[in-house]
Amino acid sequence: MGVALADVRCKREENVIGVWSTVESAYQKALISESADDLKEAKRYKGEIIKIAEAVLSGKQ
């Protein structure tokens, strides 16, 4: 059996992708939680910029 096939078999048997995905997801959720205030502010700012852009594009500025 080739090395690549053995590698894939091992990853399947040990659920490497599932574990990797679960850990990565946990890290991302923690970062989102820690950055919630900054993310809310960025979303608010983005909304303001979009409103200004829409006004400019519609000629209502």
Short mmCIF file of all heavy atoms in Angstrom, two decimals:
data_model
loop_
_atom_site.label_atom_id
_atom_site.label_comp_id
_atom_site.label_asym_id
_atom_site.label_seq_id
_atom_site.Cartn_x
_atom_site.Cartn_y
_atom_site.Cartn_z
N MET A 1 0.85 -1.18 0.00
CA MET A 1 0.00 0.00 0.00
C MET A 1 0.90 1.24 0.00
O MET A 1 1.89 1.31 0.70
CB MET A 1 -0.89 -0.01 1.24
CG MET A 1 -1.72 1.23 1.38
SD MET A 1 -2.79 1.28 2.85
CE MET A 1 -3.51 -0.32 2.88
N GLY A 2 0.51 2.24 -0.77
CA GLY A 2 1.30 3.46 -0.84
C GLY A 2 1.19 4.27 0.44
O GLY A 2 0.29 4.08 1.26
N VAL A 3 2.14 5.14 0.59
CA VAL A 3 2.18 5.99 1.78
C VAL A 3 0.93 6.85 1.88
O VAL A 3 0.36 7.02 2.96
CB VAL A 3 3.45 6.87 1.76
CG1 VAL A 3 3.45 7.85 2.91
CG2 VAL A 3 4.71 6.01 1.81
N ALA A 4 0.48 7.42 0.75
CA ALA A 4 -0.70 8.28 0.77
C ALA A 4 -1.94 7.51 1.23
O ALA A 4 -2.73 8.02 2.03
CB ALA A 4 -0.93 8.90 -0.60
N LEU A 5 -2.10 6.30 0.74
CA LEU A 5 -3.26 5.50 1.14
C LEU A 5 -3.19 5.14 2.62
O LEU A 5 -4.21 5.15 3.32
CB LEU A 5 -3.35 4.23 0.29
CG LEU A 5 -3.72 4.45 -1.18
CD1 LEU A 5 -3.66 3.13 -1.94
CD2 LEU A 5 -5.09 5.08 -1.31
N ALA A 6 -1.99 4.80 3.09
CA ALA A 6 -1.84 4.49 4.51
C ALA A 6 -2.15 5.71 5.36
O ALA A 6 -2.79 5.60 6.42
CB ALA A 6 -0.42 4.01 4.79
N ASP A 7 -1.75 6.88 4.89
CA ASP A 7 -2.01 8.12 5.61
C ASP A 7 -3.52 8.38 5.71
O ASP A 7 -4.03 8.69 6.78
CB ASP A 7 -1.32 9.29 4.89
CG ASP A 7 -1.51 10.61 5.60
OD1 ASP A 7 -1.20 10.69 6.79
OD2 ASP A 7 -1.97 11.56 4.94
N VAL A 8 -4.23 8.22 4.60
CA VAL A 8 -5.68 8.43 4.59
C VAL A 8 -6.37 7.42 5.49
O VAL A 8 -7.26 7.77 6.26
CB VAL A 8 -6.23 8.37 3.15
CG1 VAL A 8 -7.75 8.35 3.15
CG2 VAL A 8 -5.71 9.54 2.33
N ARG A 9 -5.95 6.18 5.42
CA ARG A 9 -6.56 5.14 6.26
C ARG A 9 -6.37 5.48 7.75
O ARG A 9 -7.31 5.39 8.54
CB ARG A 9 -5.96 3.77 5.97
CG ARG A 9 -6.52 2.70 6.91
CD ARG A 9 -5.84 1.40 6.77
NE ARG A 9 -6.40 0.72 5.59
CZ ARG A 9 -5.91 -0.40 5.09
NH1 ARG A 9 -4.84 -0.95 5.62
NH2 ARG A 9 -6.47 -0.97 4.05
N CYS A 10 -5.18 5.88 8.11
CA CYS A 10 -4.89 6.22 9.50
C CYS A 10 -5.75 7.40 9.96
O CYS A 10 -6.32 7.38 11.05
CB CYS A 10 -3.41 6.56 9.66
SG CYS A 10 -2.95 7.06 11.33
N LYS A 11 -5.85 8.42 9.11
CA LYS A 11 -6.65 9.59 9.46
C LYS A 11 -8.11 9.23 9.66
O LYS A 11 -8.78 9.76 10.55
CB LYS A 11 -6.49 10.68 8.40
CG LYS A 11 -5.14 11.38 8.49
CD LYS A 11 -4.97 12.42 7.41
CE LYS A 11 -3.61 13.09 7.57
NZ LYS A 11 -3.29 13.95 6.45
N ARG A 12 -8.62 8.33 8.82
CA ARG A 12 -10.01 7.89 8.98
C ARG A 12 -10.19 7.09 10.26
O ARG A 12 -11.14 7.31 11.01
CB ARG A 12 -10.43 7.03 7.78
CG ARG A 12 -10.75 7.82 6.56
CD ARG A 12 -11.26 6.92 5.47
NE ARG A 12 -11.51 7.66 4.25
CZ ARG A 12 -11.52 7.12 3.05
NH1 ARG A 12 -11.30 5.82 2.89
NH2 ARG A 12 -11.76 7.87 2.00
N GLU A 13 -9.29 6.15 10.49
CA GLU A 13 -9.40 5.28 11.67
C GLU A 13 -9.31 6.07 12.97
O GLU A 13 -9.98 5.74 13.95
CB GLU A 13 -8.32 4.20 11.63
CG GLU A 13 -8.56 3.15 10.56
CD GLU A 13 -7.41 2.17 10.44
OE1 GLU A 13 -6.39 2.31 11.15
OE2 GLU A 13 -7.53 1.25 9.60
N GLU A 14 -8.50 7.10 12.99
CA GLU A 14 -8.29 7.88 14.21
C GLU A 14 -9.13 9.15 14.26
O GLU A 14 -8.99 9.95 15.19
CB GLU A 14 -6.80 8.22 14.36
CG GLU A 14 -5.89 7.01 14.44
CD GLU A 14 -6.24 6.07 15.57
OE1 GLU A 14 -6.62 6.56 16.66
OE2 GLU A 14 -6.13 4.84 15.38
N ASN A 15 -9.98 9.35 13.27
CA ASN A 15 -10.88 10.50 13.20
C ASN A 15 -10.11 11.83 13.31
O ASN A 15 -10.54 12.76 14.00
CB ASN A 15 -11.96 10.42 14.27
CG ASN A 15 -13.05 11.45 14.09
OD1 ASN A 15 -13.31 11.91 12.97
ND2 ASN A 15 -13.67 11.86 15.17
N VAL A 16 -8.99 11.91 12.63
CA VAL A 16 -8.14 13.10 12.70
C VAL A 16 -8.89 14.33 12.23
O VAL A 16 -8.85 15.39 12.87
CB VAL A 16 -6.84 12.90 11.88
CG1 VAL A 16 -6.06 14.19 11.78
CG2 VAL A 16 -6.00 11.80 12.51
N ILE A 17 -9.62 14.22 11.13
CA ILE A 17 -10.34 15.38 10.58
C ILE A 17 -11.43 15.84 11.55
O ILE A 17 -11.61 17.03 11.78
CB ILE A 17 -10.93 15.07 9.19
CG1 ILE A 17 -9.83 14.60 8.22
CG2 ILE A 17 -11.69 16.25 8.64
CD1 ILE A 17 -8.71 15.59 8.01
N GLY A 18 -12.14 14.91 12.15
CA GLY A 18 -13.18 15.27 13.12
C GLY A 18 -12.63 15.97 14.34
O GLY A 18 -13.17 16.98 14.79
N VAL A 19 -11.53 15.46 14.86
CA VAL A 19 -10.90 16.08 16.03
C VAL A 19 -10.37 17.45 15.66
O VAL A 19 -10.57 18.43 16.38
CB VAL A 19 -9.76 15.18 16.59
CG1 VAL A 19 -8.96 15.90 17.65
CG2 VAL A 19 -10.34 13.88 17.11
N TRP A 20 -9.70 17.53 14.53
CA TRP A 20 -9.13 18.79 14.06
C TRP A 20 -10.23 19.84 13.91
O TRP A 20 -10.11 20.97 14.37
CB TRP A 20 -8.44 18.54 12.73
CG TRP A 20 -7.69 19.68 12.12
CD1 TRP A 20 -7.52 20.95 12.61
CD2 TRP A 20 -6.98 19.65 10.89
NE1 TRP A 20 -6.77 21.70 11.75
CE2 TRP A 20 -6.43 20.93 10.67
CE3 TRP A 20 -6.79 18.67 9.93
CZ2 TRP A 20 -5.69 21.25 9.55
CZ3 TRP A 20 -6.05 18.99 8.81
CH2 TRP A 20 -5.50 20.26 8.63
N SER A 21 -11.32 19.45 13.29
CA SER A 21 -12.44 20.36 13.07
C SER A 21 -13.04 20.83 14.39
O SER A 21 -13.36 22.02 14.56
CB SER A 21 -13.50 19.66 12.22
OG SER A 21 -14.64 20.46 12.09
N THR A 22 -13.22 19.93 15.33
CA THR A 22 -13.78 20.27 16.63
C THR A 22 -12.90 21.25 17.39
O THR A 22 -13.39 22.24 17.96
CB THR A 22 -14.01 19.00 17.47
OG1 THR A 22 -14.91 18.14 16.76
CG2 THR A 22 -14.56 19.31 18.84
N VAL A 23 -11.60 21.01 17.38
CA VAL A 23 -10.66 21.90 18.08
C VAL A 23 -10.63 23.27 17.41
O VAL A 23 -10.69 24.31 18.09
CB VAL A 23 -9.25 21.28 18.14
CG1 VAL A 23 -8.23 22.27 18.65
CG2 VAL A 23 -9.26 20.02 19.00
N GLU A 24 -10.56 23.29 16.09
CA GLU A 24 -10.53 24.56 15.35
C GLU A 24 -11.80 25.37 15.63
O GLU A 24 -11.75 26.58 15.86
CB GLU A 24 -10.40 24.30 13.85
CG GLU A 24 -10.39 25.54 12.99
CD GLU A 24 -9.12 26.37 13.13
OE1 GLU A 24 -8.09 25.83 13.57
OE2 GLU A 24 -9.17 27.57 12.80
N SER A 25 -12.94 24.70 15.64
CA SER A 25 -14.21 25.36 15.92
C SER A 25 -14.22 25.96 17.32
O SER A 25 -14.69 27.09 17.53
CB SER A 25 -15.35 24.36 15.75
OG SER A 25 -16.58 24.95 16.07
N ALA A 26 -13.70 25.23 18.29
CA ALA A 26 -13.65 25.72 19.67
C ALA A 26 -12.77 26.97 19.77
O ALA A 26 -13.14 27.94 20.45
CB ALA A 26 -13.13 24.63 20.61
N TYR A 27 -11.62 26.95 19.09
CA TYR A 27 -10.75 28.14 19.09
C TYR A 27 -11.47 29.34 18.48
O TYR A 27 -11.41 30.45 19.00
CB TYR A 27 -9.47 27.88 18.29
CG TYR A 27 -8.41 27.11 19.03
CD1 TYR A 27 -7.77 26.02 18.45
CD2 TYR A 27 -8.01 27.47 20.32
CE1 TYR A 27 -6.79 25.31 19.11
CE2 TYR A 27 -7.02 26.77 21.00
CZ TYR A 27 -6.42 25.69 20.39
OH TYR A 27 -5.44 25.00 21.05
N GLN A 28 -12.15 29.12 17.36
CA GLN A 28 -12.86 30.21 16.68
C GLN A 28 -13.98 30.77 17.55
O GLN A 28 -14.16 31.99 17.65
CB GLN A 28 -13.38 29.75 15.33
CG GLN A 28 -12.28 29.52 14.33
CD GLN A 28 -12.78 29.04 12.99
OE1 GLN A 28 -13.98 29.05 12.71
NE2 GLN A 28 -11.88 28.60 12.15
N LYS A 29 -14.74 29.90 18.19
CA LYS A 29 -15.83 30.36 19.07
C LYS A 29 -15.28 31.18 20.24
O LYS A 29 -15.87 32.18 20.62
CB LYS A 29 -16.64 29.17 19.57
CG LYS A 29 -17.53 28.57 18.50
CD LYS A 29 -18.28 27.35 19.01
CE LYS A 29 -19.12 26.75 17.89
NZ LYS A 29 -19.82 25.55 18.33
N ALA A 30 -14.15 30.74 20.79
CA ALA A 30 -13.54 31.49 21.90
C ALA A 30 -13.09 32.87 21.43
O ALA A 30 -13.32 33.87 22.13
CB ALA A 30 -12.36 30.71 22.46
N LEU A 31 -12.48 32.94 20.25
CA LEU A 31 -12.04 34.23 19.73
C LEU A 31 -13.22 35.15 19.43
O LEU A 31 -13.15 36.36 19.70
CB LEU A 31 -11.20 34.03 18.47
CG LEU A 31 -9.79 33.49 18.70
CD1 LEU A 31 -9.14 33.11 17.37
CD2 LEU A 31 -8.95 34.51 19.43
N ILE A 32 -14.29 34.60 18.90
CA ILE A 32 -15.48 35.40 18.63
C ILE A 32 -16.05 35.94 19.94
O ILE A 32 -16.40 37.11 20.04
CB ILE A 32 -16.54 34.56 17.86
CG1 ILE A 32 -16.06 34.32 16.43
CG2 ILE A 32 -17.90 35.25 17.87
CD1 ILE A 32 -16.87 33.28 15.68
N SER A 33 -16.11 35.09 20.95
CA SER A 33 -16.63 35.51 22.25
C SER A 33 -15.76 36.61 22.86
O SER A 33 -16.27 37.61 23.37
CB SER A 33 -16.69 34.31 23.18
OG SER A 33 -17.17 34.69 24.43
N GLU A 34 -14.46 36.43 22.80
CA GLU A 34 -13.53 37.42 23.36
C GLU A 34 -13.58 38.75 22.61
O GLU A 34 -13.29 39.79 23.19
CB GLU A 34 -12.10 36.88 23.32
CG GLU A 34 -11.85 35.73 24.25
CD GLU A 34 -10.51 35.06 24.01
OE1 GLU A 34 -9.68 35.61 23.27
OE2 GLU A 34 -10.30 33.97 24.57
N SER A 35 -13.94 38.70 21.34
CA SER A 35 -13.92 39.90 20.48
C SER A 35 -15.31 40.43 20.18
O SER A 35 -15.47 41.23 19.26
CB SER A 35 -13.21 39.56 19.17
OG SER A 35 -11.92 39.06 19.40
N ALA A 36 -16.31 40.00 20.93
CA ALA A 36 -17.70 40.34 20.62
C ALA A 36 -17.93 41.84 20.50
O ALA A 36 -18.58 42.30 19.55
CB ALA A 36 -18.64 39.74 21.66
N ASP A 37 -17.41 42.62 21.43
CA ASP A 37 -17.62 44.07 21.38
C ASP A 37 -16.98 44.69 20.13
O ASP A 37 -17.59 45.53 19.47
CB ASP A 37 -17.08 44.75 22.64
CG ASP A 37 -17.87 44.39 23.88
OD1 ASP A 37 -19.04 43.97 23.74
OD2 ASP A 37 -17.33 44.54 24.99
N ASP A 38 -15.77 44.28 19.83
CA ASP A 38 -15.09 44.79 18.64
C ASP A 38 -15.84 44.40 17.37
O ASP A 38 -15.95 45.20 16.43
CB ASP A 38 -13.65 44.28 18.56
CG ASP A 38 -12.77 44.86 19.66
OD1 ASP A 38 -13.09 45.96 20.17
OD2 ASP A 38 -11.76 44.21 20.01
N LEU A 39 -16.33 43.17 17.33
CA LEU A 39 -17.06 42.71 16.15
C LEU A 39 -18.38 43.48 15.98
O LEU A 39 -18.76 43.82 14.85
CB LEU A 39 -17.32 41.20 16.24
CG LEU A 39 -16.07 40.32 16.14
CD1 LEU A 39 -16.41 38.88 16.51
CD2 LEU A 39 -15.46 40.40 14.76
N LYS A 40 -19.07 43.75 17.08
CA LYS A 40 -20.31 44.53 17.01
C LYS A 40 -20.03 45.94 16.49
O LYS A 40 -20.78 46.48 15.67
CB LYS A 40 -20.98 44.60 18.38
CG LYS A 40 -21.64 43.31 18.78
CD LYS A 40 -22.23 43.42 20.19
CE LYS A 40 -22.73 42.07 20.66
NZ LYS A 40 -23.17 42.11 22.05
N GLU A 41 -18.95 46.55 16.97
CA GLU A 41 -18.59 47.89 16.51
C GLU A 41 -18.22 47.89 15.03
O GLU A 41 -18.63 48.78 14.29
CB GLU A 41 -17.41 48.43 17.34
CG GLU A 41 -16.92 49.79 16.92
CD GLU A 41 -17.97 50.89 17.03
OE1 GLU A 41 -18.95 50.74 17.78
OE2 GLU A 41 -17.81 51.91 16.36
N ALA A 42 -17.49 46.88 14.59
CA ALA A 42 -17.13 46.78 13.18
C ALA A 42 -18.39 46.60 12.32
O ALA A 42 -18.50 47.19 11.24
CB ALA A 42 -16.17 45.62 12.96
N LYS A 43 -19.33 45.83 12.80
CA LYS A 43 -20.58 45.61 12.06
C LYS A 43 -21.37 46.91 11.97
O LYS A 43 -21.91 47.25 10.91
CB LYS A 43 -21.42 44.53 12.75
CG LYS A 43 -22.69 44.20 12.02
CD LYS A 43 -23.45 43.08 12.74
CE LYS A 43 -24.73 42.74 12.01
NZ LYS A 43 -25.47 41.67 12.67
N ARG A 44 -21.44 47.66 13.08
CA ARG A 44 -22.14 48.94 13.08
C ARG A 44 -21.49 49.91 12.09
O ARG A 44 -22.16 50.55 11.29
CB ARG A 44 -22.14 49.54 14.49
CG ARG A 44 -22.98 50.82 14.61
CD ARG A 44 -22.67 51.58 15.89
NE ARG A 44 -21.29 52.02 16.00
CZ ARG A 44 -20.76 53.05 15.30
NH1 ARG A 44 -21.49 53.71 14.44
NH2 ARG A 44 -19.50 53.39 15.48
N TYR A 45 -20.17 50.00 12.14
CA TYR A 45 -19.43 50.89 11.25
C TYR A 45 -19.65 50.50 9.78
O TYR A 45 -19.88 51.35 8.93
CB TYR A 45 -17.94 50.84 11.60
CG TYR A 45 -17.08 51.69 10.71
CD1 TYR A 45 -17.10 53.08 10.82
CD2 TYR A 45 -16.24 51.12 9.77
CE1 TYR A 45 -16.31 53.88 10.01
CE2 TYR A 45 -15.45 51.89 8.95
CZ TYR A 45 -15.48 53.28 9.07
OH TYR A 45 -14.70 54.04 8.26
N LYS A 46 -19.61 49.21 9.50
CA LYS A 46 -19.83 48.73 8.14
C LYS A 46 -21.22 49.13 7.66
O LYS A 46 -21.41 49.55 6.52
CB LYS A 46 -19.66 47.21 8.08
CG LYS A 46 -19.84 46.63 6.71
CD LYS A 46 -19.64 45.12 6.75
CE LYS A 46 -19.95 44.49 5.41
NZ LYS A 46 -19.82 43.03 5.46
N GLY A 47 -22.21 49.01 8.55
CA GLY A 47 -23.57 49.41 8.20
C GLY A 47 -23.65 50.88 7.84
O GLY A 47 -24.34 51.26 6.88
N GLU A 48 -22.94 51.72 8.59
CA GLU A 48 -22.92 53.16 8.29
C GLU A 48 -22.29 53.42 6.93
O GLU A 48 -22.80 54.24 6.15
CB GLU A 48 -22.15 53.91 9.38
CG GLU A 48 -22.86 53.97 10.71
CD GLU A 48 -22.04 54.69 11.77
OE1 GLU A 48 -21.02 55.32 11.43
OE2 GLU A 48 -22.43 54.61 12.95
N ILE A 49 -21.19 52.76 6.66
CA ILE A 49 -20.51 52.94 5.37
C ILE A 49 -21.40 52.49 4.23
O ILE A 49 -21.47 53.16 3.18
CB ILE A 49 -19.17 52.15 5.36
CG1 ILE A 49 -18.22 52.70 6.42
CG2 ILE A 49 -18.53 52.16 3.99
CD1 ILE A 49 -17.83 54.16 6.23
N ILE A 50 -22.12 51.41 4.40
CA ILE A 50 -23.02 50.93 3.35
C ILE A 50 -24.14 51.93 3.11
O ILE A 50 -24.50 52.21 1.96
CB ILE A 50 -23.57 49.53 3.70
CG1 ILE A 50 -22.45 48.50 3.58
CG2 ILE A 50 -24.76 49.16 2.81
CD1 ILE A 50 -22.81 47.12 4.09
N LYS A 51 -24.70 52.50 4.17
CA LYS A 51 -25.75 53.51 4.01
C LYS A 51 -25.23 54.72 3.24
O LYS A 51 -25.92 55.26 2.37
CB LYS A 51 -26.29 53.95 5.37
CG LYS A 51 -27.18 52.92 6.03
CD LYS A 51 -27.66 53.42 7.38
CE LYS A 51 -28.45 52.35 8.09
NZ LYS A 51 -28.88 52.77 9.43
N ILE A 52 -24.03 55.17 3.56
CA ILE A 52 -23.44 56.31 2.85
C ILE A 52 -23.23 55.96 1.38
O ILE A 52 -23.56 56.75 0.49
CB ILE A 52 -22.11 56.73 3.51
CG1 ILE A 52 -22.39 57.31 4.91
CG2 ILE A 52 -21.35 57.72 2.64
CD1 ILE A 52 -21.15 57.48 5.77
N ALA A 53 -22.69 54.78 1.11
CA ALA A 53 -22.46 54.35 -0.27
C ALA A 53 -23.76 54.26 -1.05
O ALA A 53 -23.84 54.69 -2.20
CB ALA A 53 -21.73 53.01 -0.29
N GLU A 54 -24.80 53.72 -0.41
CA GLU A 54 -26.10 53.63 -1.09
C GLU A 54 -26.64 55.01 -1.41
O GLU A 54 -27.21 55.23 -2.49
CB GLU A 54 -27.09 52.85 -0.22
CG GLU A 54 -26.80 51.36 -0.16
CD GLU A 54 -27.67 50.63 0.86
OE1 GLU A 54 -28.23 51.27 1.78
OE2 GLU A 54 -27.76 49.39 0.74
N ALA A 55 -26.49 55.95 -0.48
CA ALA A 55 -26.96 57.32 -0.70
C ALA A 55 -26.19 57.96 -1.85
O ALA A 55 -26.80 58.61 -2.72
CB ALA A 55 -26.80 58.16 0.57
N VAL A 56 -24.90 57.77 -1.89
CA VAL A 56 -24.09 58.33 -2.97
C VAL A 56 -24.49 57.74 -4.31
O VAL A 56 -24.69 58.45 -5.30
CB VAL A 56 -22.57 58.11 -2.71
CG1 VAL A 56 -21.75 58.45 -3.94
CG2 VAL A 56 -22.12 58.94 -1.50
N LEU A 57 -24.64 56.43 -4.35
CA LEU A 57 -24.98 55.75 -5.60
C LEU A 57 -26.38 56.10 -6.09
O LEU A 57 -26.64 56.09 -7.30
CB LEU A 57 -24.81 54.24 -5.45
CG LEU A 57 -23.37 53.76 -5.26
CD1 LEU A 57 -23.34 52.26 -4.95
CD2 LEU A 57 -22.53 54.07 -6.49
N SER A 58 -27.27 56.39 -5.17
CA SER A 58 -28.64 56.73 -5.57
C SER A 58 -28.82 58.21 -5.85
O SER A 58 -29.87 58.65 -6.29
CB SER A 58 -29.63 56.29 -4.48
OG SER A 58 -29.49 57.12 -3.34
N GLY A 59 -27.77 58.99 -5.60
CA GLY A 59 -27.83 60.44 -5.85
C GLY A 59 -28.56 61.19 -4.74
O GLY A 59 -28.92 62.34 -4.92
N LYS A 60 -28.79 60.59 -3.60
CA LYS A 60 -29.54 61.22 -2.51
C LYS A 60 -28.63 61.80 -1.42
O LYS A 60 -29.09 62.05 -0.32
CB LYS A 60 -30.50 60.20 -1.87
CG LYS A 60 -31.55 59.70 -2.82
CD LYS A 60 -32.43 58.69 -2.12
CE LYS A 60 -33.48 58.14 -3.09
NZ LYS A 60 -34.31 57.12 -2.48
N GLN A 61 -27.42 62.02 -1.73
CA GLN A 61 -26.50 62.52 -0.70
C GLN A 61 -26.60 64.00 -0.49
O GLN A 61 -27.04 64.78 -1.19
CB GLN A 61 -25.07 62.15 -1.04
CG GLN A 61 -24.67 62.57 -2.43
CD GLN A 61 -23.20 62.85 -2.52
OE1 GLN A 61 -22.63 63.39 -1.60
NE2 GLN A 61 -22.59 62.47 -3.62
#
